[in-house]
């Protein structure tokens, strides 16, 4: 991770094909585009990789989540249960849809804890949004059965886990809708990009309309197209889709490199006493973008992360101190510092997060993740593993 480390002539060739016609818009211009439809092609690739019946490519993952919620009819007065360990885009897009984010807890899978979801369900709960953090699935069987029993929607934020699977089924395709991100730091990148997958034709069509001002895309003359409801402009460009096409063709190679490098690193770190690896609900389905583990205490995690960085192990995260991924440092959210006035439906429904305490603190404060590089040769991975094991051993 990330896929841009493997940019080569293929990305250039794809982009050149778009520039040869100059048609950067994904819709219309049939006469001029010489049958080049990069966004459509990328959607076909996403369907192939995930087995989903429908895929919609959009501007980014945040837009994908917002659009998926809108397509599912989630909005004002509705609550969406999400984990405290994610990227801020999860609560931002729930709010953008007009719904209220309700933050539950994470568990040792680093994803949403099913038991905690039960605690936070209210009569206003409309959807549950697990986030498959760091490339691997959460406890989807349990979450799915909670949603079935209570008639709630399951919307997967699979933005960090395109390519991951859960008992052989690609994540993103298990809920009513799933969202991926292809932003610059993800394993497969469009530069900026995102996607929604679903097996429901109706949800797909609603998302397709919503992400393009309501256009029904029923004919070739945009001016004459119908619109059922208004939407936004969350369209992807052909240039971004073209880049993504070159990247998705390399995805199997990315996964096998990462899996092998992670295996080498994990084997070595298994020798270190007193660390416990993150629980993987489906080890075979892990994208292997990170190796994550828990140390006995918060202090030791902080020292471990520092020691790893000092030893030259790149891409080390102690998420508890990170401003973007754990609720502890989301002061903007906790103190309600929003750019504009927020609807009272959202604000009144929100808990007072200045007072909330999180059981997840114990877990996330002890968690350290090491990014698995696509650039490592097996020898690099081994030498990194040896450095890491020595550095952690000294701290613990
Ligand atoms: C990257 C990411 C997003 C948002 O995707 P963008 O394409 O950057 O908008 C949402 N959720 C999670 C968990 C992410 O990691």
């Amino acid at each position: 991770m990330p896929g841009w480390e493997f940019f080569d002539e293929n990305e250039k060739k794809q982009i050149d094909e778009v520039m040869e016609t100059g048609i950067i818009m994904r819709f219309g211009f049939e006469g001029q585009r010489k049958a080049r439809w990069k966004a459509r092609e990328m959607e076909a690739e996403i369907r192939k990789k995930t087995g989903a019946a429908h895929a919609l490519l959009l501007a980014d993952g945040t837009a994908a989540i917002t659009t998926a919620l809108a397509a599912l009819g989630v909005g004002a007065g509705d609550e969406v249960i999400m984990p405290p360990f994610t990227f801020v885009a999860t609560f931002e897009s729930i709010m953008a849809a007009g719904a209220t984010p309700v933050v539950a807890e994470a568990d040792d899978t680093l994803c949403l804890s099913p038991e905690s979801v039960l605690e936070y369900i209210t009569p206003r709960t409309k959807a549950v949004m697990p986030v498959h953090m760091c490339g691997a699935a959460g406890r989807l069987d349990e979450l799915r059965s909670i949603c079935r029993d209570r008639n709630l929607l399951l919307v997967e934020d699979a933005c960090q886990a395109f390519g991951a699977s859960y008992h052989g089924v690609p994540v993103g395709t298990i809920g009513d809708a799933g969202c991926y991100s292809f932003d610059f730091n993800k394993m497969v990148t469009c530069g900026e990009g995102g996607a929604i997958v679903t097996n429901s034709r109706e949800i797909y069509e609603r998302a397709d309309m919503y992400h393009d001002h309501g256009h029904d895309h029923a004919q070739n003359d945009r001016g004459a197209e119908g619109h059922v409801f208004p939407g936004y402009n969350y369209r992807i460009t052909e240039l971004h889709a073209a880049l993504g096409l070159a990247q998705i063709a390399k995805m199997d190679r990315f996964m096998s490199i990462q899996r092998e490098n992670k295996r080498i690193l994990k084997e070595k770190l298994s020798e270190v006493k007193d660390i416990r690896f993150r629980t993987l609900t489906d080890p075979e389905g892990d994208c292997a973008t990170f190796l994550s583990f828990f140390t006995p205490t918060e202090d030791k995690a902080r020292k471990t992360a520092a020691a790893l960085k000092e030893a030259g192990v790149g891409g080390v995260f102690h998420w508890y101190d990170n401003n973007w991924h754990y609720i502890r440092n989301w002061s903007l959210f906790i103190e309600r510092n929003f750019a504009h006035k927020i609807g009272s439906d959202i604000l009144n429904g929100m808990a007072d997060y200045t007072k909330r305490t999180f059981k997840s603190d114990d877990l996330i404060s002890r968690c350290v993740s090491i990014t698995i590089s696509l650039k490592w040769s097996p020898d690099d991975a081994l030498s990194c593993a040896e450095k890491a094991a020595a550095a952690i051993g000294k701290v613990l």
Side-chain angles (χ1 to χ4, degrees), residues 63-110:
I65 304 172
T66 307
T67 300
L69 289 172
L72 288 160
V74 178
D78 295 332
E79 294 177 356
V80 180
I81 299 180
M82 58 169 276
F85 179 49
T86 176
F87 176 56
V88 292
T90 310
F91 79 74
E92 288 170 342
S93 43
I94 293 168
M95 290 180 68
T100 305
V102 171
V103 185
E105 301 279 357
D107 66 19
D108 62 348
T109 64
L110 293 183

Side-chain angles (χ1 to χ4, degrees), residues 202-324:
E202 189 198 348
I203 294 166
Y204 163 76
E205 282 176 352
R206 287 170 58 88
D208 180 46
M209 292 190 279
Y210 189 82
H211 101 294
D212 184 21
H213 301 294
H215 275 272
D216 66 7
H217 304 134
Q219 50 171 301
N220 294 325
D221 178 355
R222 276 178 70 79
E225 276 176 353
H227 36 80
V228 180
F229 48 68
Y232 281 95
N233 177 0
Y234 290 143
R235 293 187 304 261
I236 187 120
T237 72
E238 287 286 277
L239 292 172
H240 292 92
L243 192 73
L245 273 173
Q247 285 270 296
I248 204 167
K250 300 173 187 174
M251 179 172 151
D252 292 345
R253 183 152 58 106
F254 290 171
M255 298 265 271
S256 69
I257 294 171
Q258 279 176 180
R259 284 173 173 168
E260 177 58 9
N261 284 341
K262 180 167 177 175
R263 190 192 61 75
I264 293 168
L265 184 62
K266 191 166 183 177
E267 192 173 281
K268 192 81 209 161
L269 294 198
S270 303
E271 297 164 10
V272 180
K273 264 199 307 178
D274 289 339
I275 65 170
R276 193 165 60 81
F277 293 111
R278 163 207 193 164
T279 299
L280 291 168
T281 53
D282 179 2
E284 310 266 286
D286 176 19
C287 290
T289 42
F290 290 93
L291 177 67
S292 301
F293 57 87
F294 305 103
T295 64
T297 66
E298 172 185 339
D299 181 54
K300 287 192 168 155
R302 198 169 278 121
K303 286 184 178 142
T304 296
L308 285 168
K309 283 179 196 165
E310 197 170 301
V313 177
V316 177
F317 295 92
H318 179 228
W319 303 107
Y320 196 62
D321 291 343
N322 183 294
N323 283 346
W324 296 91

Side-chain angles (χ1 to χ4, degrees), residues 60-62 65 86-87 89-90 131 133 157 159-160 181 183 186 193:
D60 54 74
T62 311
I65 304 172
T86 176
F87 176 56
T90 310
V131 184
M133 283 300 278
D157 176 345
C159 284
Q160 292 195 7
S181 166
D183 80 19
K186 302 301 205 263

